[in-house]
Amino acid sequence: MIGPMSPRARNWLIDRLGRPVIWLWFKSTRMKLEGEEHVEKLRTTRRGIVHIIWHGKIFMVPYFYRKRNIMPLVSPSQDGEIAARVMDGWGYKILRGSGSHFMKDAWLAMIEELKAGGEVIIIPDGPKGPDRKLKMGCVRLAADTGAAILPFSFTTNRKKVLTSWDRFLMFPPFARVLCAYGEPIDVPPGLDAAGLERERERIEEVFVRFDADLDRRL
């Protein structure tokens, strides 16, 4: 009887098969992108961008954002290790850390990246939820740097929703996939704690509605 796979064997498989399998999987889909003008305008002005994606929609992240020199904040959990290994070699500035494993160095690296006109990826309800409850991190990043918050989501005509806390969305090869950027969201500088909380609630509401409206499209 074959026992459970060791971490070393699992990592070996991910390193050698992860990107090729994902590349073939996503290349088989009929993919459409909406809202690209929002990100292009921000990049033209060299303004920092905080990309936000719900944890349940991160299936798209390694493939979609590849080769763009973006800095993703990746959880130091086992799931984060898998994601980091898949993205390694696909043109990411991988940064390890999360809301539950706060790292001062990671925060300072994101601040520096955004002030230089770079881009970061934040999973605002990760790594453990609650589902679709936006944490304060992305709001503070935008307020401290002047970066824009840019929502991203996807939906598909062949949904496979896992029974996980985040309702993780997947799709089989050859599915139709609709990806979309939302409109950029600005956060005023100099807000006190109450002002930041009002912004957090506003952005959460906008992002939840954007994600739900997209899901109804297919």
Side-chain angles (χ1 to χ4, degrees), residues 82-110:
I82 293 172
R85 286 181 174 274
V86 170
M87 290 189 287
D88 187 31
W90 252 349
Y92 287 95
K93 299 178 180 179
I94 298 172
L95 191 63
R96 303 304 299 271
S98 74
S100 61
H101 298 79
F102 182 79
M103 296 169 59
K104 182 178 180 180
D105 289 345
W107 182 263
L108 293 176
M110 289 189 292

Side-chain angles (χ1 to χ4, degrees), residues 80-184:
E81 178 66 21
I82 293 172
R85 286 181 174 274
V86 170
M87 290 189 287
D88 187 31
W90 252 349
Y92 287 95
K93 299 178 180 179
I94 298 172
L95 191 63
R96 303 304 299 271
S98 74
S100 61
H101 298 79
F102 182 79
M103 296 169 59
K104 182 178 180 180
D105 289 345
W107 182 263
L108 293 176
M110 289 189 292
I111 292 286
E112 182 179 356
E113 185 73 11
L114 291 168
K115 285 185 174 180
E119 305 174 36
V120 304
I121 299 174
I122 297 288
I123 311 302
D125 60 343
K128 297 180 180 180
D131 181 31
R132 269 73 170 179
K133 293 297 292 183
L134 189 127
K135 295 184 174 69
M136 186 63 78
C138 62
V139 183
R140 290 187 180 277
L141 279 175
D144 290 350
T145 65
I149 294 178
L150 191 65
F152 173 82
S153 188
F154 79 92
T155 190
T156 173
N157 67 323
R158 300 173 67 188
K159 294 180 175 67
K160 172 62 176 177
V161 181
L162 304 187
T163 57
S164 53
W165 67 264
D166 58 354
R167 294 176 289 153
F168 194 87
L169 178 61
M170 299 180 66
F171 51 81
F174 307 103
R176 282 196 297 128
V177 180
L178 173 61
C179 304
Y181 291 108
E183 293 188 6

Side-chain angles (χ1 to χ4, degrees), residues 4-206:
M5 183 178 294
S6 69
R8 183 176 180 181
R10 182 200 65 216
N11 292 341
W12 185 91
L13 284 174
I14 294 168
D15 291 344
R16 283 153 182 79
L17 299 179
R19 285 191 300 278
V21 168
I22 289 175
W23 189 88
L24 288 170
W25 191 311
F26 282 83
K27 278 295 182 181
S28 75
T29 64
R30 292 168 289 167
M31 192 176 297
K32 179 182 178 182
L33 175 61
E34 295 181 351
E36 192 171 15
E37 67 276 8
H38 299 313
V39 71
E40 288 179 348
K41 182 177 180 180
L42 292 170
R43 287 171 179 159
T44 298
T45 60
R46 291 291 298 163
R47 186 178 176 190
I49 305 174
V50 181
H51 298 268
I52 55 172
I53 304 100
W54 292 129
H55 198 279
K57 296 293 183 77
I58 60 174
F59 185 56
M60 285 290 304
V61 169
Y63 177 85
F64 182 81
Y65 287 99
R66 73 198 190 284
K67 300 180 180 179
R68 302 188 190 188
N69 206 33
I70 292 177
M71 179 181 285
L73 180 63
V74 180
S75 167
S77 66
Q78 180 175 308
D79 288 346
E81 178 66 21
I82 293 172
R85 286 181 174 274
V86 170
M87 290 189 287
D88 187 31
W90 252 349
Y92 287 95
K93 299 178 180 179
I94 298 172
L95 191 63
R96 303 304 299 271
S98 74
S100 61
H101 298 79
F102 182 79
M103 296 169 59
K104 182 178 180 180
D105 289 345
W107 182 263
L108 293 176
M110 289 189 292
I111 292 286
E112 182 179 356
E113 185 73 11
L114 291 168
K115 285 185 174 180
E119 305 174 36
V120 304
I121 299 174
I122 297 288
I123 311 302
D125 60 343
K128 297 180 180 180
D131 181 31
R132 269 73 170 179
K133 293 297 292 183
L134 189 127
K135 295 184 174 69
M136 186 63 78
C138 62
V139 183
R140 290 187 180 277
L141 279 175
D144 290 350
T145 65
I149 294 178
L150 191 65
F152 173 82
S153 188
F154 79 92
T155 190
T156 173
N157 67 323
R158 300 173 67 188
K159 294 180 175 67
K160 172 62 176 177
V161 181
L162 304 187
T163 57
S164 53
W165 67 264
D166 58 354
R167 294 176 289 153
F168 194 87
L169 178 61
M170 299 180 66
F171 51 81
F174 307 103
R176 282 196 297 128
V177 180
L178 173 61
C179 304
Y181 291 108
E183 293 188 6
I185 302 170
D186 295 326
V187 178
L191 296 174
D192 60 13
L196 286 170
E197 175 58 20
R198 286 192 295 271
E199 286 298 296
R200 188 203 66 77
E201 292 175 352
R202 176 179 71 90
I203 295 166
E204 179 181 282
E205 181 181 353
V206 168

